[in-house]
Amino acid sequence: MNYKTNIASRKEALTKLLNVIITHENEIIEALYSDFRKPAFEAVLTETNYVISELKDTIKNLSKWAKPKRVFPSILNFPSTDYIYKEPYGKVLIIAPWNYPFQLALCPLISAVAAGNQVVLKPSELTPKTSEIITKIIGKTFPVNHVEVIEGGLEVSQNLLSQRWDYIFFTGSVPVGKIVAKAAAENLTPVTLELGGKNPCIIDNTANLKLAAKRILWGKFINAGQTCIAPDYILIQKDMKSHFVDFLKLEITKAYGENPKSSPDYARIVNTKNWLRLANMIDDKKVIFGGQTDIEDRYISPTLIDESSVDTLIMKDEIFGPLLPILSYENDAEINIVISKYEKPLSLYVFTEDKKFAQKIIKQYSFGGGCINDTVVHFSNKRLPFGGVGHSGIGAYHGRLSFDTFSHKKAIVKKANWLDLPMRYAPYKDKLKSIQKLLKWL
Ligand code: NAD
């Protein structure tokens, strides 16, 4: 049996969740620090405050979003009034990743509850302290037959995927996204897949290099590069490269000091497996800045890599860490060769003062979303859809769109009885000509 809610009870539950999160905010920040030394500033900006703001926005707008929407009727159905009703899918499974372990678990959960669903959430096993606090918060807010957190790794996740759901919302890697899609196909369960990709960052010769360096380093090294929409690699106009690298070095030092290892503002790699994967990508001969590592501390310094080929290990898959390969191009055809080598990315960034160049790039390539002259910040506008395309994902969410994601849109035509036009009914006899005339006119 589905857990039934109405708008008032959903608002009440979400308000309770808001209060429980606010009460436990410090514990959440501590858990994130303990899991991979996420700096408190980043924890507030990208996790707790983001979730709090999503909750407030949802509570404020829920009645409006949930209301049946009246749409212009078709003249063919005259006289009628037409509506879109939003109904919950039913039982929703949310599988979350570790890199923004609080936000990427809670935001879809909030919208799924707002839309009236029952939810099972599986947080990532790689951030156990955050998982623990999520379980505590959800346990204090919801009865288990409404929202339940099931902690665990691969086996738990596979077991959940083998069950029947009415909607699956998955955030994670492309290979696991494919596993989720296959499992969902068994029961024709609709899915949202929020995946990753190799996000290009293109800089032309008109760009404001100093500002570009600052904005790129922020988007790249926040969360130690473990951000799905972080710039993966730089593609810069050849003549600008050395100048840009100088600015980058300067800005990295300004942000994290001479020794980023002792900076309180720089996170660690989530586990040894990921640390080894990243350390293996560093080719010492190509390091132009950084390159320091410490396995005990799971530390990798912000690292710039002078790259000239797309056939190297670092240019194979999404990096998902603090390594930034810098490639150069001489003409637009060379940009195309690099970008076309990869599947459609989750994000793309272009830095330029040339409006035509910016328009050309954003129209020429297909990608989830991105920015002109900045990185990552498109994530923060709730009025913009957030999601990938092709291998970087299926579906999008944030703000009102999240509510819609977890709602089935039911089409209803409410026919009036005061008039019943005879045209559509058999016997058709000589009605063909009249209907052809009418349809042409419509
Ligand atoms: P992951 O795919 O390894 O794990 C995600 C979730 O899936 C975890 O809860 C994990 O327990 C579960 N899982 C792992 N292997 C599984 C399997 N074989 N069967 C069933 N479930 C399985 O991803 P991750 O390492 O946690 O996160 C990093 C990836 O997520 C990156 O590729 C990144 O780009 C992507 N990501 C995307 C977004 C987005 O919004 N598009 C956000 C964050 C991260």
Side-chain angles (χ1 to χ4, degrees), residues 33-45:
Y33 186 83
S34 156
D35 279 332
F36 61 110
R37 276 191 53 177
K38 190 182 283 249
F41 180 90
E42 292 180 14
V44 169
L45 182 72

Side-chain angles (χ1 to χ4, degrees), residues 98 197-199 220 224-228 230-234 269 274 277-279 281-282 303 305 307 313-327:
W98 55 264
K198 230 167 155 52
N199 307 321
K220 179 68 186 184
Q226 302 162 114
T227 302
C228 55
D232 189 275
Y233 62 94
I234 303 285
I269 307 305
N274 271 289
R277 181 182 64 77
L278 289 162
M281 286 181 194
I282 303 173
T303 299
I305 291 172
E307 188 55 83
L313 183 60
I314 200 166
M315 290 306 292
K316 194 165 175 273
D317 294 314
E318 178 186 16
I319 297 169
F320 216 59
L323 313 175
L324 184 60
I326 303 170
L327 291 87

Side-chain angles (χ1 to χ4, degrees), residues 377-391:
V377 294
H378 58 298
F379 188 88
S380 61
N381 184 352
K382 290 186 183 71
R383 287 170 290 275
L384 288 174
F386 183 77
V389 56
H391 279 220

Side-chain angles (χ1 to χ4, degrees), residues 95-99 104 122-125 154 157-158 161 170-173 176 179 194-196 228 318 320 346 386:
I95 301 180
W98 55 264
N99 60 331
L104 294 175
K122 200 214 70 73
S124 174
E125 69 280 19
L154 201 75
S157 198
Q158 283 168 344
L161 285 172
F170 171 79
T171 308
S173 63
V176 182
I179 294 171
E194 293 283 338
L195 310 177
C228 55
E318 178 186 16
F320 216 59
L346 185 59
F386 183 77

Side-chain angles (χ1 to χ4, degrees), residues 35 55 63 126 161 173 177 210 213 290 320 342 425:
D35 279 332
L55 263 167
S63 305
L126 301 193
L161 285 172
S173 63
K210 188 171 175 0
F320 216 59
Y342 303 102
Y425 300 111

